Amino acid sequence: MARAGTQNADLAERLLAGDKRALARAISLVEDDDPQGWALVREVYPHTGKAAIVGFTGPPGVGKSTLIGALTAHARQADRGVAVLSIDPSSPFTKGALLGDRIRLTDHFLDSGVFIRSMATRGSLGGLSEATLQAALLMDASGKDDVFLETVGVGQAEVDIIDHADTVVLVLMPGSGDSIQALKAGVMEIPDVIAVNKSDHPLTDTMIREIRGVLSLGPPEEWQVPIVKTEASRAEGVEELQQQIAAHREHIESKGSLVERRRRNLMNEVVALAAGRLRRRLERSIQEDSGVQELLDEVVARRLDPASAASQLLERDL
Amino acid sequence: MARAGTQNADLAERLLAGDKRALARAISLVEDDDPQGWALVREVYPHTGKAAIVGFTGPPGVGKSTLIGALTAHARQADRGVAVLSIDPSSPFTKGALLGDRIRLTDHFLDSGVFIRSMATRGSLGGLSEATLQAALLMDASGKDDVFLETVGVGQAEVDIIDHADTVVLVLMPGSGDSIQALKAGVMEIPDVIAVNKSDHPLTDTMIREIRGVLSLGPPEEWQVPIVKTEASRAEGVEELQQQIAAHREHIESKGSLVERRRRNLMNEVVALAAGRLRRRLERSIQEDSGVQELLDEVVARRLDPASAASQLLERDL
């Protein structure tokens, strides 16, 4: 125990000093739901809050990783430390397609100022959103100037994962009709910046007009969502995207809304962490408790309704 | 209290007899999180399990409502009772577009064999998935042969809502590239039936080939997911879609997987109901308990990390 404590203190020190291997080790601990990982986050938490956290969301295949790779190169030119956290969907069959995309990031693997990590969406013991937050905090504590979070998805759940971000970038490409409809219908929240990647496609301008049309339907906001054309594989438009992300940050800093946003995010995170733990306790009780099994059998036999079973579960379990 | 009991018994009786107004009233009770509503579901639950529950998901604007309207007309010709439950996203600005789509269903408003209801995705006190399940059970108990659940969305969260369904139909249209990518990446689960609506579009066949390509990447399954071309506004392809839905039902019935699927769904629902209630208790405690407020202030001030705050919240609250 004393030894673990010492190791942890060591790890925290190395992490705070910006040691890449210490950061990697710390994230693994968090991902494995190891109590040492939680202790470490607790220890370094007072040193967080300095990084600019940018979340990237959008459907698979639009080139988010390539874009993040290009933004990383750009940040490195300005001598900023960068950490990238990619949330990988655990596909039942086509891992390859996404990994192929990710390869673009390997250009930066040897750069000591860049840290890259991906996490799987399922199988993470402690819940993914939880692990994402902890990993982002560790990256922040290790002194990175920019933390890029990437989720692959098209629904609200994916947007929730990057709710830890100060700035949310939605990446689309010509053909992303479903996402535009989702924005229009209010199924997906309006992001802070929109990038239209693969913009050498002939339908790019039509799509940008469509997006502008959707945005114009909303109530007038102080921040006008910029739409940036990019061609990430040739690094085109990356500088403008970087400028718009920086402009958004300046905007929320000057309006005081960065503080407000972080406050709201942190509150949501605490609730989500607590709720997630409660849920896992419940799931465990279902697997382990034969009384709970009997309760569920009654539901399946249509003798006890699901809501009453839930009430009885809450009474016995907690 | 005695009077409420009598009213409830009355309502249950009328509901079980198939009275449309009783069903409408019962769903309102559930939607308002009224204890009478929960009591009612408890009472009629033994009479559920007879309806074929079909869930429809897919991006907004693909014509799900029109398709459901056409399927409803088809079911009525076979003298089947139909209930439709549409889960409406509460859009910040463009309610109109979706309601316009929904109007197609009004053809059936005067038919006593058809019951149509929509519920909003936010603002529902008891949580949407919860209310959806209860409403679907009430529809089932009221003797409807077919219960159609409709969600508007493109992510896993929407698919979860229709997890109450025996058969899941994904509706796409030419241009639904994001959804196909999401299927390919495993971000969205493979549905039981796919309908490609608005199929008079020249790119329909290309899209169907793309979908087949995605499906062929998966492991071989006993059930081959059929892809049906529809043009709902002209009722084209609707009969084939209905046949494929029926074929899927026959398949799961003959294999015994209907029972298995319902068992799994009911278990998930009990856990979701219990977890949802715990989460709401937590959220209430945050609003009402000044001690919790102080805890959160510590987090915002970076003195207490989110995970430790969650632990402390769980200790004090439950």
Side-chain angles (χ1 to χ4, degrees):
Chain A
M1 200 60 209
R3 208 179 147 224
T6 315
Q7 277 186 339
N8 229 9
D10 251 32
L11 196 54
E13 210 171 291
R14 282 164 49 217
L15 177 86
L16 291 171
D19 182 316
K20 256 174 111 161
R21 285 184 55 207
L23 178 55
R25 169 87 183 119
I27 294 176
S28 295
L29 288 172
V30 159
E31 207 177 11
D32 295 346
D33 208 15
D34 186 314
Q36 269 194 68
W38 301 99
L40 198 61
V41 176
R42 188 160 60 234
E43 198 171 336
V44 302
Y45 184 66
H47 302 275
T48 61
K50 287 168 205 137
I53 303 184
V54 185
F56 296 81
T57 185
V62 297
K64 286 184 294 299
S65 296
T66 316
L67 204 53
I68 291 171
L71 283 167
T72 299
H74 204 275
R76 292 302 294 144
Q77 279 165 25
D79 209 28
R80 293 175 68 87
V82 177
V84 179
L85 181 61
S86 291
I87 314 302
D88 237 326
S90 73
S91 162
F93 36 86
T94 57
K95 276 255 175 238
L98 293 162
L99 285 178
D101 201 22
R102 189 127 310 134
I103 300 280
R104 315 288 172 97
L105 280 168
T106 54
D107 295 352
H108 303 286
F109 271 138
L110 295 177
D111 178 348
S112 70
V114 179
F115 179 87
I116 297 165
R117 178 71 171 240
S118 63
M119 292 204 302
T121 51
R122 278 159 237 181
S124 159
L125 282 172
L128 181 72
S129 183
E130 204 163 304
T132 305
L133 167 66
Q134 304 295 314
L137 289 173
L138 291 168
M139 289 169 159
D140 185 343
S142 83
K144 297 299 176 201
D145 302 291
D146 291 306
V147 173
F148 297 142
L149 304 179
E150 176 193 8
T151 58
V152 178
V154 281
Q156 194 57 47
E158 289 72 34
V159 177
D160 288 347
I161 288 175
I162 53 163
D163 246 359
H164 317 304
D166 304 323
T167 298
V168 174
V169 180
L170 174 64
V171 185
L172 300 174
M173 65 175 188
S176 286
D178 295 346
S179 294
I180 294 176
Q181 289 298 319
L183 278 176
K184 190 172 171 184
V187 172
M188 199 192 282
E189 267 171 63
I190 302 296
D192 302 308
V193 176
I194 296 178
V196 178
N197 196 30
K198 305 193 180 181
S199 61
D200 54 357
H201 191 282
L203 288 174
T204 300
D205 290 328
T206 313
M207 205 181 76
I208 289 178
R209 267 195 303 277
E210 239 181 301
I211 299 172
R212 278 200 219 288
V214 171
L215 295 178
S216 71
L217 294 169
E221 300 279 354
E222 284 195 332
W223 172 252
Q224 297 273 327
V225 178
I227 307 171
V228 184
K229 282 198 248 186
T230 59
E231 181 53 60
S233 59
R234 291 199 304 269
E236 285 170 26
V238 172
E239 186 163 354
E240 197 199 334
L241 179 60
Q242 187 275 322
Q243 283 165 0
Q244 293 292 2
I245 292 170
H248 177 258
R249 190 173 185 81
E250 233 167 77
H251 172 82
I252 56 177
E253 273 175 350
S254 70
K255 295 285 167 192
S257 47
L258 175 60
V259 175
E260 209 175 279
R261 191 186 271 235
R262 286 189 161 179
R263 187 184 175 87
R264 188 199 60 201
N265 289 352
L266 285 169
M267 286 180 139
N268 288 339
E269 281 152 9
V270 172
V271 175
L273 282 162
R277 285 192 199 169
L278 286 173
R279 192 182 174 115
R280 281 193 300 284
R281 273 193 213 164
L282 272 175
E283 284 167 344
R284 216 175 304 134
S285 81
I286 284 180
Q287 276 163 2
E288 291 167 6
D289 186 332
S290 66
V292 175
Q293 282 293 347
E294 282 162 29
L295 207 64
L296 291 171
D297 287 339
E298 289 293 290
V299 175
V300 173
R302 307 265 165 185
R303 284 190 294 263
L304 178 70
D305 70 292
S308 301
S311 300
Q312 290 186 29
L313 193 60
L314 291 180
E315 271 163 34
R316 56 182 301 142
D317 189 52
L318 295 158
Chain B
M1 202 55 211
R3 208 177 147 226
T6 315
Q7 278 185 339
N8 231 9
D10 251 33
L11 194 55
E13 211 170 289
R14 282 163 51 216
L15 177 86
L16 291 171
D19 182 317
K20 257 173 109 159
R21 285 185 55 208
L23 178 55
R25 169 88 183 117
I27 294 176
S28 295
L29 288 172
V30 159
E31 205 176 11
D32 296 346
D33 208 15
D34 186 314
Q36 270 193 68
W38 300 99
L40 198 62
V41 176
R42 189 159 58 232
E43 197 171 336
V44 303
Y45 184 67
H47 302 275
T48 61
K50 289 167 205 137
I53 303 186
V54 184
F56 296 81
T57 186
V62 295
K64 285 184 296 298
S65 295
T66 316
L67 204 53
I68 291 171
L71 284 167
T72 299
H74 204 274
R76 292 302 294 144
Q77 279 165 25
D79 210 27
R80 293 174 71 88
V82 177
V84 179
L85 182 62
S86 290
I87 314 302
D88 238 325
S90 72
S91 160
F93 37 87
T94 56
K95 274 258 174 237
L98 292 162
L99 285 177
D101 200 24
R102 191 126 308 131
I103 300 278
R104 315 288 172 93
L105 279 168
T106 56
D107 296 353
H108 303 287
F109 271 138
L110 296 175
D111 179 346
S112 70
V114 179
F115 179 88
I116 296 165
R117 178 70 170 242
S118 64
M119 292 203 302
T121 50
R122 278 161 238 183
S124 160
L125 284 171
L128 182 72
S129 183
E130 204 162 304
T132 305
L133 167 66
Q134 303 295 313
L137 289 173
L138 290 167
M139 289 168 159
D140 184 342
S142 84
K144 297 298 178 202
D145 303 291
D146 291 307
V147 173
F148 296 142
L149 305 180
E150 176 194 8
T151 57
V152 178
V154 281
Q156 194 57 46
E158 290 70 34
V159 177
D160 288 345
I161 287 176
I162 54 164
D163 245 358
H164 316 303
D166 305 322
T167 298
V168 174
V169 180
L170 173 64
V171 185
L172 300 174
M173 65 175 190
S176 287
D178 295 345
S179 295
I180 293 175
Q181 289 299 319
L183 279 175
K184 192 172 171 186
V187 173
M188 200 193 282
E189 266 172 63
I190 301 296
D192 303 307
V193 176
I194 296 177
V196 178
N197 196 30
K198 306 192 178 179
S199 62
D200 53 358
H201 191 283
L203 288 175
T204 302
D205 289 330
T206 312
M207 203 180 77
I208 289 178
R209 267 196 302 277
E210 238 179 302
I211 299 172
R212 277 199 221 289
V214 171
L215 295 178
S216 72
L217 294 170
E221 301 279 352
E222 284 196 332
W223 172 251
Q224 296 273 326
V225 178
I227 306 170
V228 184
K229 281 199 248 186
T230 59
E231 181 51 65
S233 58
R234 291 199 305 268
E236 285 171 26
V238 173
E239 186 162 353
E240 197 199 335
L241 179 59
Q242 186 275 321
Q243 283 165 0
Q244 294 291 3
I245 292 169
H248 177 257
R249 189 171 185 79
E250 233 167 77
H251 173 81
I252 56 177
E253 273 175 350
S254 71
K255 296 284 167 194
S257 47
L258 176 59
V259 175
E260 209 176 279
R261 190 186 274 236
R262 285 189 161 179
R263 187 185 175 87
R264 189 199 58 201
N265 288 351
L266 286 169
M267 287 181 139
N268 287 339
E269 281 152 9
V270 171
V271 175
L273 282 163
R277 285 192 198 167
L278 288 174
R279 191 182 174 115
R280 282 193 298 286
R281 273 191 213 164
L282 272 176
E283 283 166 345
R284 216 175 304 134
S285 80
I286 283 179
Q287 275 161 4
E288 292 167 5
D289 187 331
S290 65
V292 175
Q293 282 293 349
E294 281 162 29
L295 207 63
L296 291 171
D297 287 338
E298 289 294 289
V299 176
V300 172
R302 308 264 165 183
R303 284 190 293 262
L304 178 70
D305 71 292
S308 301
S311 300
Q312 290 187 28
L313 193 61
L314 291 179
E315 270 163 33
R316 55 181 301 143
D317 189 52
L318 294 158

